[in-house]
Amino acid sequence: KADGLIVSTPTGSTAYSLSAGGPIMFPSVAATAITPICPHTLTNRPVIVPDESEIQVIVLYNSPTYMTIDGQVGEILESGDRIVCRRSEHCISLVRPPDMMFFDVLREKLKWGER
């Protein structure tokens, strides 16, 4: 049990997952992170699964439950609804400036190495 669940890829929803205690994943890692939001027990921890995994989230209770994808307007879910998350058959190539390295961006944004 938790206040919510974040399912993220190395290039999507990572900042949101990180703020909930999730991992930093290198962009080329073929994996998906599952991060509970404010878990109701300390034993509920983020989990990394291979990106070919199919993740199913099933709504068990009739309490207010919402699904939000990439900050869009949320959808109300009902007991018994099932959300299936899996890697798309389609790929996209992302463009990044050649002088912008992943760990340099992390060092700058997360203030690594500063006091």
Side-chain angles (χ1 to χ4, degrees), residues 90-107:
H90 307 285
C91 292
I92 185 171
S93 295
L94 299 176
V95 178
R96 68 169 172 78
D99 61 335
M100 193 173 231
M101 303 304 291
F102 179 69
F103 288 104
D104 293 334
V105 172
L106 286 178
R107 187 177 303 110

Side-chain angles (χ1 to χ4, degrees), residues 7-24:
V7 178
S8 61
T9 66
T11 56
S13 300
T14 51
Y16 188 39
S17 176
L18 183 63
S19 71
I24 296 172

Side-chain angles (χ1 to χ4, degrees), residues 5 55-61 65 77-84:
L5 191 66
I55 300 158
Q56 294 189 30
V57 180
I58 302 167
V59 179
L60 297 178
Y61 305 104
T65 305
L77 302 176
E78 297 177 4
S79 180
D81 283 350
R82 177 186 312 258
I83 310 304
V84 179

Side-chain angles (χ1 to χ4, degrees), residues 23-62:
I24 296 172
M25 292 194 293
F26 195 78
S28 62
V29 171
T32 300
I34 305 167
T35 306
I37 302 170
C38 298
H40 299 177
T41 175
L42 293 176
T43 57
N44 288 343
R45 306 302 312 151
V47 176
I48 305 281
V49 297
D51 71 346
E52 66 265 6
S53 301
E54 181 177 274
I55 300 158
Q56 294 189 30
V57 180
I58 302 167
V59 179
L60 297 178
Y61 305 104
N62 235 354

